């Protein structure tokens, strides 16, 4: 079912021909078509009629298969090339005139050279295919943070996913017809060959070229490429922030709303946390989702940091999704969803490791091979994904569509750490909080190609996504202190601490509400804490324990334990990381590290 030759047959009259008034856009599409030589050009308008037509074409061309409408209404499965299942950090480039602008954590290439190389590969690459023009918005229309993008692609899968993930079509034409600036994204599958796979960002031109992959994070260009890599670059220039953060609203029984942003690396539970259902002891409390992956934030006129979710859908990790880990997601992906690289059952339903119920006796695995319990390897790829509209989320906050955004009270930084990092602690102040974010460590996951389970520094969960020098990014974060009068409080969290025997210490999922409640109370000056070497920690009595009485005082002590030796090793590993970044690391962060060591 790999998508290699998608050429549309006979679009009904009126479809694919919505030409924009924007002359620069028309000229660029013409130039790109001259280079790539597609059989036809299809201008997407985002209409329902278009969607139905394109879905039909995707079925006819074998790009997707329809799932049983009784089991998964309106849903499809796509199996990708097995060599193309995750983001490829080694093939991702930031192309700026000066090498130093990209910094040591990014692959860099000289823009003219990289354009020449990419255009060489793109020459005639779309012969026999259709070039789709996808105009889209990131952010609610009318938001001061909204951006316009246009993606040109020869992949139907990309069109159908972008339709879910962004505000695609008419709303974007409205902006483009006004003649404004837009991000130019050019994507081609080529022959889906890892040797010819490059995800290249040209922040100085507000442009992206992605070739040789069909995997979401590499090709849904509004997401990681525009909303994070180009976004972080533009943000620094235009005084806003693009962050790898979920956004949620906690509403108390009295109706008090507190908005929280949280950065966790890929596949560490952002989607689950953003729509958690509080346990029964929290009657009347509600958690609602604004975003599950990306936050754009800007100092607001009221002196607070104001955030929007630029996306319109969720591209989430499937395995492990069940009615205990994320009941809202189970409902949300039960219809109108594109699944990628899960397994399918004989009844035309989907299956994955960790789904509710027993494993089917037989199924077809993510590679399209017969699979049964005991077969080698997982039935669903560990990075298999769902693409689903945010409107499907039963916990969606109405604010997700509010162009004004929401004022942030707390920022959480969380890694996947088996040791060292406690369940929750609060920074002493903004500078210390930025240091906590900058020194975040996390075990690697299947969301990126490469080894899984190794601790690496992933500052603010942005290591794969920061579009410029990481040292300058830290300075920019520190500088927010001057722009935002009413700064959010900053916390470190870790849901993944393990016992020496390797069992998770904290039950996680909905129980994370207990942690969230303490954080919210801290924001409103209602909860005490005790000072420690690493920050402010809750005491056991500061949490609500009703319904989780089996989590004893000793358990709490274990999950919150600060081991000075582990922290000394942590500080050493942070020093190594800072050294790699060179002299652009702000002194203030080096000083924070010294202070930590002194306190330890
Ligand atoms: C994602 C990722 O897909 O971070 O969100 O990889
Ligand atoms: Mn992500």
């Amino acid at each position: 079912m790999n998508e290699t030759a998608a050429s549309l047959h006979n679009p009904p009259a009126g479809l694919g021909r919505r030409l924009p008034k924007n002359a620069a856009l028309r000229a660029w599409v013409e130039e790109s078509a001259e280079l790539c030589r597609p059989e036809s050009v299809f201008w997407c308008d985002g209409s329902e009629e278009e969607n139905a037509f394109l879905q039909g074409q995707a079925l006819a061309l074998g790009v997707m298969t329809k799932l049983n409408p009784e089991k998964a209404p309106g849903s499809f499965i796509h199996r990708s090339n097995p060599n193309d299942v995750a983001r490829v950090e080694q093939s991702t480039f930031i192309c700026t005139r000066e090498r130093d602008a990209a910094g040591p954590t990014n692959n860099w290439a000289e823009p003219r050279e990289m354009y020449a190389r990419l255009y060489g590969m793109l020459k005639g690459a779309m012969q026999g295919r259709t070039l789709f023009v996808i105009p889209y918005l990131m952010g609610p229309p009318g938001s001061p943070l909204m951006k316009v993008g246009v993606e040109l692609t020869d992949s139907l899968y990309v069109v159908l996913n972008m339709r879910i993930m962004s505000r695609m079509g008419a709303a974007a034409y409205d902006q483009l017809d006004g003649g404004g600036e837009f991000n130019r994204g050019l994507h081609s599958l080529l022959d889906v060959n890892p040797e010819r796979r490059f995800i290249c960002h040209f922040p100085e031109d507000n442009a992206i070229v992605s070739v040789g992959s069909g995997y979401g994070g590499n090709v849904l260009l509004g997401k990681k490429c525009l909303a994070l890599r180009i976004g972080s670059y533009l943000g620094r220039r235009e005084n806003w922030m693009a962050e790898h953060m979920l956004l949620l609203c906690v509403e108390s029984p009295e109706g008090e709303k507190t908005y929280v942003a949280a950065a966790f690396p890929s596949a560490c539970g952002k989607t689950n946390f953003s729509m958690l259902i509080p346990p029964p002891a929290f009657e009347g409390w509600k958690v609602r989702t604004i975003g599950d992956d990306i936050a754009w934030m800007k100092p607001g006129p009221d002196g607070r940091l104001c955030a929007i979710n630029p996306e319109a859908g969720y591209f989430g990790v499937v395995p492990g999704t069940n009615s205990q880990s994320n009941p809202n997601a189970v409902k949300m992906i039960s219809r109108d969803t594109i699944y990628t690289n899960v397994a399918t059952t004989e009844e035309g339903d989907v299956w994955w490791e960790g789904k509710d119920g027993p494993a089917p006796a037989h199924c077809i695995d993510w590679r399209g091979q017969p699979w049964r319990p005991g077969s080698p390897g997982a039935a669903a790829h560990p990075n298999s994904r769902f693409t689903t509209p945010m409107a499907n989320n039963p916990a969606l906050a109405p604010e997700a569509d509010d162009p004004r955004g929401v004022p942030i009270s707390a920022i959480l930084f969380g890694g996947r750490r088996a040791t060292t990092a406690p369940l929750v602690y609060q920074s002493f102040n903004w500078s210390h909080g930025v240091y906590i974010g900058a020194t975040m460590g996390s075990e690697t996951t299947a969301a990126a190609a490469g080894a899984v389970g190794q601790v690496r520094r992933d500052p603010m969960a942005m290591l794969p996504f920061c579009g410029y020098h990481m040292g300058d990014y830290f300075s920019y974060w520190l500088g927010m202190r001057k722009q935002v009068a009413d700064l959010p409080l900053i916390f470190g969290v870790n849901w993944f601490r393990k016992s020496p025997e390797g069992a998770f210490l904290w039950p996680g999922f909905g129980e994370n509400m207990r942690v969230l409640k303490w954080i919210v109370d801290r924001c409103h000056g209602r909860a005490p804490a005790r000072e420690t070497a690493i920050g402010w920690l809750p005491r056991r009595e500061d949490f609500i324990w009703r319904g989780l009485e089996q989590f004893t005082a000793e358990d709490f002590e274990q999950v919150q334990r600060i081991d000075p030796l582990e922290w000394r090793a942590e500080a050493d590993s942070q020093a190594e990381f800072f050294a790699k970044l060179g002299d652009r690391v702000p002194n203030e962060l080096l000083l924070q590290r010294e202070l930590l060591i002194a306190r330890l």
Side-chain angles (χ1 to χ4, degrees):
M1 231 187 283
N2 299 325
E3 177 174 7
T4 44
S7 176
L8 292 189
H9 302 301
N10 308 324
L15 284 190
R17 305 206 177 89
R18 163 65 165 93
L19 292 186
K21 296 197 189 95
N22 189 312
L25 171 56
R26 288 169 74 137
W28 172 57
V29 172
E30 240 164 70
E31 263 166 44
S32 305
E34 223 152 86
L35 172 71
C36 304
R37 301 253 159 232
E39 192 175 294
S40 57
V41 175
F42 186 100
W43 293 80
C44 299
D45 63 14
S47 64
E48 287 300 330
E49 192 191 355
E50 173 184 277
N51 192 38
F53 168 67
L54 294 179
Q55 285 178 347
Q57 292 286 305
L59 296 180
L61 292 162
V63 174
M64 306 197 303
T65 304
K66 202 173 170 59
L67 294 166
N68 182 340
E70 280 172 19
K71 306 272 179 193
S75 300
F76 300 87
I77 159 98
H78 168 80
R79 287 183 170 88
S80 77
N81 190 313
N83 77 29
D84 187 32
V85 292
R87 286 184 289 98
V88 281
E89 291 174 12
Q90 71 281 10
S91 311
T92 300
F93 286 80
I94 302 293
C95 308
T96 44
R97 282 188 297 274
E98 302 288 329
R99 178 190 281 268
D100 220 25
T105 57
N106 284 309
N107 298 312
W108 174 84
E110 201 284 322
R112 272 169 315 175
E113 280 171 24
M114 189 49 109
Y115 276 129
R117 194 168 174 194
L118 294 165
Y119 289 166
M121 289 186 267
L122 283 164
K123 206 165 172 194
M126 297 187 188
Q127 279 173 35
R129 302 184 189 180
T130 296
L131 184 159
F132 298 93
V133 183
I134 310 173
Y136 64 93
L137 297 182
M138 298 306 285
S143 169
L145 278 156
M146 177 203 81
K147 292 281 176 207
V148 187
V150 179
E151 175 163 357
L152 312 185
T153 179
D154 56 3
S155 162
L156 251 173
Y157 171 81
V158 167
V159 182
L160 294 167
N161 277 270
M162 281 295 283
R163 192 191 146 80
I164 297 175
M165 294 305 296
S166 68
R167 292 162 174 91
M168 181 246 233
Y173 276 112
D174 290 348
Q175 299 293 327
L176 287 160
D177 286 348
E181 199 200 328
F182 60 94
N183 175 273
R184 293 162 194 235
L186 175 55
H187 165 249
S188 173
L189 292 162
L190 303 182
D191 51 353
V192 196
N193 174 352
E195 303 288 317
R196 305 200 315 142
R197 183 167 295 156
F198 293 94
I199 321 302
C200 299
H201 305 74
F202 301 87
E204 288 150 350
D205 304 337
N206 194 8
I208 304 158
V209 182
S210 165
V211 294
S213 171
Y215 171 72
N218 300 327
V219 301
L220 307 179
L221 299 184
K223 190 173 179 63
K224 301 300 181 182
C225 300
L226 170 53
L228 289 177
R229 298 196 190 95
I230 299 276
S232 56
Y233 176 94
L234 293 178
R236 185 163 67 128
R237 204 171 70 188
E238 299 167 359
N239 199 30
W240 55 279
M241 305 168 90
E243 299 298 335
H244 193 201
M245 291 179 176
L246 67 91
L247 290 170
L248 60 78
C249 171
V250 186
E251 189 175 337
S252 75
E254 294 75 37
E256 171 195 75
K257 289 185 171 182
T258 308
Y259 298 97
V260 175
F264 301 97
S266 309
C268 288
K270 282 199 295 300
T271 305
N272 292 345
F273 189 56
S274 74
M275 54 190 74
L276 74 77
I277 297 187
F282 290 80
E283 205 189 332
W285 288 82
K286 293 188 192 88
V287 171
R288 295 211 182 88
T289 324
I290 292 154
D292 81 325
D293 193 42
I294 298 175
W296 283 356
M297 309 195 285
K298 189 181 170 61
D302 60 352
R304 304 190 67 185
L305 193 60
C306 189
I308 63 160
N309 168 18
E311 302 190 276
Y314 311 122
F315 179 67
V317 177
V318 180
T321 305
N322 58 48
S323 46
Q324 198 242 325
S325 63
N326 193 339
N328 281 320
V330 170
K331 287 193 194 126
M332 153 180 118
I333 64 177
S334 66
R335 64 195 158 91
D336 309 325
T337 293
I338 298 174
Y339 288 94
T340 304
N341 291 340
V342 295
T344 43
T345 67
E346 277 165 358
E347 299 81 45
D349 197 2
V350 275
W351 192 77
W352 54 82
E353 279 71 17
K355 193 180 183 190
D356 289 321
H362 316 272
C363 63
I364 303 296
D365 73 6
W366 67 275
R367 294 168 189 264
Q369 302 299 321
W371 185 97
R372 58 179 67 224
S375 292
H381 187 275
N383 192 37
S384 51
R385 297 282 178 146
F386 56 75
T387 317
T388 204
M390 69 177 183
N392 274 16
N393 176 4
L396 184 69
E399 293 92 324
D401 256 326
D402 188 338
R404 292 168 305 177
V406 297
I408 299 300
S409 295
I411 293 177
L412 278 49
F413 292 119
R416 182 185 282 273
R417 294 299 298 270
T419 64
T420 319
L423 177 63
V424 59
Y425 64 112
Q426 185 194 336
S427 71
F428 293 119
N429 52 38
W430 183 256
S431 165
H432 180 231
V434 173
Y435 165 75
I436 291 174
T439 54
M440 245 170 85
S442 193
E443 291 155 22
T444 49
T445 67
V452 168
Q454 291 173 0
V455 173
R456 70 167 181 179
R457 298 284 138 205
D458 188 352
M460 282 82 173
M462 282 288 279
L463 183 69
F465 306 120
C466 182
Y468 60 100
H469 196 298
M470 196 54 90
D472 294 345
Y473 172 71
F474 295 160
S475 300
Y476 188 58
W477 259 88
L478 288 169
M480 270 298 139
R481 184 178 35 204
K482 300 205 186 85
Q483 317 263 353
V484 180
D486 196 355
L487 283 165
L489 303 186
I490 299 182
F491 299 80
V493 297
N494 176 24
W495 317 136
F496 301 97
R497 197 160 184 175
K498 288 184 175 167
S499 69
E501 295 73 41
F504 284 113
L505 291 174
W506 177 246
F509 305 115
E511 303 298 346
N512 291 337
M513 181 66 205
R514 298 178 197 270
V515 178
L516 198 49
K517 163 82 167 49
W518 179 74
I519 289 171
V520 166
D521 285 345
R522 288 295 288 170
C523 293
H524 298 290
R526 293 194 289 251
R530 68 186 173 94
E531 188 179 330
T532 71
I534 68 161
W536 295 101
L537 264 69
R539 300 159 312 163
R540 185 169 190 275
E541 58 269 35
D542 302 325
F543 273 32
I544 292 175
W545 291 108
R546 206 160 0 104
L548 195 64
E549 288 81 3
Q550 69 274 26
F551 198 82
T552 62
E554 292 78 65
D555 294 334
F556 190 71
E557 201 279 318
Q558 217 187 342
V559 82
Q560 287 292 77
R561 195 164 57 89
I562 299 160
D563 179 329
L565 286 179
E566 283 178 355
W567 275 90
R568 220 15 257 239
E570 185 72 6
D572 289 345
S573 139
Q574 293 171 3
E576 274 168 36
F577 180 65
F578 283 160
K580 270 193 211 138
L581 297 184
D583 57 10
R584 293 217 206 172
V585 177
N587 280 335
E588 198 172 334
L589 295 190
L590 302 178
L591 187 61
Q592 283 293 346
R593 184 183 157 274
E594 297 292 332
L595 287 171
L596 169 70
I597 293 170
R599 287 192 303 265
L600 286 168

